[in-house]
Amino acid sequence: ENGPRLLVVAEQAKIFSHRGGNVTLPCKFYHEHTSAAGSGTHKIRIKWTKLTYDYLKEVDVFVAMGHHRKSYGSYQGRVSLRESSENDASLVITNIKLEDYGRYKCEVIEGLEDDTAVVTLNLEGVVFPYSPRLGRYNLNFHEAQRACAEQDSVMASFDQLYDAWRAGLDWCNAGWLSDGSVQYPITKPREPCGGRNTVPGVRNYGFWDKDKSRYDVFCFTSNFNG
C-alpha cells in the first residue's frame, strides 16, 4: 500500500512480422510516483507466456530473474530480453515460426507486486481452404491439423480467417479453425451457401467433436520474405 505501484505497459498492442523474421514484443515496467525502474528491495522477475484459445492454459515462453534466464519448448535458442534500459522487459523472438502467431503476456513481478500486459503477434500471410482428394468433409480436427502441416502451413485462427474474409475470401464449405470451431467466409450470399438473404460474414457452425466430426479445414501460411 505504501510503496510505489508497479505498472506494466506495452507501447503497441499488435506487432506484425513474417515467418523467418525477427520481432520485438514491447513491454516496459514503471513505478507510480517514482521514475526509478525498481525499488531495489526485491529482485525483478520477468515472465513471458503465450495465451491459448481457452484462456485457461498458458504456454511458458521465457523467464528472467537477475542473471538467470530460461526459455521453453520450441522457443529455446530463439528468445531473449531486449534490455535497452533497466525497465525494459521486451521480448525478442528470432526465426519466427508459423506457430508463434498469437497473444503473449508479459508479467513483471517484484515482491508482492505484479502487473501484466498483452501483445499480439500477427504474421503476414495467406489463408486457404483445404479438402483432401477424397472429397469435402473428410477430416476430423486432428487430421485437419496434419493436412495443414503437409501443406507447409498451420490451421488458421478465427482472426486470420476474418482478415481473409475482409480481403475477399468467399468459400461455401465449412472448415476447422485452430480453436476447434467450424466456420466459413461468405462475401457473396447465394442459395447453396445459407441462402441469398444471408448477411455476408464469417458463418459459425460452433464447436464440434474433434474426433468424430468431419469437415474441411482453413490453413494459414506465410512466406519467408514476408
Side-chain angles (χ1 to χ4, degrees):
E1 290 292 322
N2 305 329
R5 199 162 73 83
L6 184 69
L7 293 175
V8 174
V9 178
E11 299 99 326
Q12 282 176 272
K14 274 190 181 179
I15 300 293
F16 289 84
S17 190
H18 55 85
R19 179 159 51 150
N22 302 332
V23 74
T24 300
L25 304 183
C27 182
K28 289 192 174 176
F29 57 96
Y30 305 92
H31 288 89
E32 272 187 331
H33 318 305
T34 174
S35 58
S39 60
T41 52
H42 297 282
K43 272 190 173 173
I44 299 279
R45 183 171 184 259
I46 296 166
K47 183 177 184 182
W48 279 91
T49 53
K50 189 177 184 204
L51 303 176
T52 61
Y53 293 105
D54 58 14
Y55 301 104
L56 297 174
K57 297 177 192 155
E58 296 180 14
V59 177
D60 287 338
V61 175
F62 184 83
V63 172
M65 186 168 179
H67 295 298
H68 298 287
R69 302 280 191 274
K70 183 170 175 59
S71 51
Y72 297 86
S74 67
Y75 295 96
Q76 289 182 41
R78 298 193 299 123
V79 289
S80 60
L81 290 184
R82 181 173 62 181
E83 297 182 296
S84 63
S85 60
E86 62 176 3
N87 67 329
D88 187 7
S90 303
L91 185 74
V92 178
I93 308 177
T94 61
N95 190 23
I96 288 171
K97 301 179 177 183
L98 293 174
E99 296 82 2
D100 293 344
Y101 168 90
R103 298 165 74 241
Y104 290 80
K105 184 174 83 174
C106 171
E107 181 177 21
V108 179
I109 304 153
E110 185 184 21
L112 298 176
E113 298 255 339
D114 77 289
D115 195 22
T116 62
V118 174
V119 184
T120 299
L121 173 59
N122 278 352
L123 298 187
E124 297 151 352
V126 63
V127 170
F128 61 94
Y130 177 80
S131 58
R133 289 183 192 157
L134 299 166
R136 64 184 286 209
Y137 296 175
N138 265 293
L139 300 169
N140 70 19
F141 180 84
H142 311 290
E143 291 162 347
Q145 264 185 327
R146 286 196 295 273
C148 285
E150 287 164 6
Q151 311 302 312
D152 188 32
S153 61
V154 292
M155 288 174 107
S157 69
F158 169 77
D159 288 343
Q160 288 169 332
L161 183 63
Y162 181 79
D163 288 344
W165 167 75
R166 289 185 60 192
L169 182 62
D170 180 274
W171 197 255
C172 214
N173 293 0
W176 292 103
L177 294 179
S178 56
D179 62 359
S181 67
V182 176
Q183 312 202 31
Y184 65 99
I186 292 294
T187 56
K188 302 184 281 292
R190 54 203 181 275
E191 222 38 76
C193 303
R196 283 184 206 147
N197 299 323
T198 56
V199 178
V202 178
R203 309 290 303 280
N204 190 348
Y205 275 19
F207 294 87
W208 290 81
D209 188 306
K210 290 183 177 181
D211 295 311
K212 295 176 185 165
S213 302
R214 297 191 169 270
Y215 291 97
D216 292 345
V217 62
F218 290 97
C219 303
F220 173 84
T221 193
S222 171
N223 294 331
F224 282 101
N225 58 2

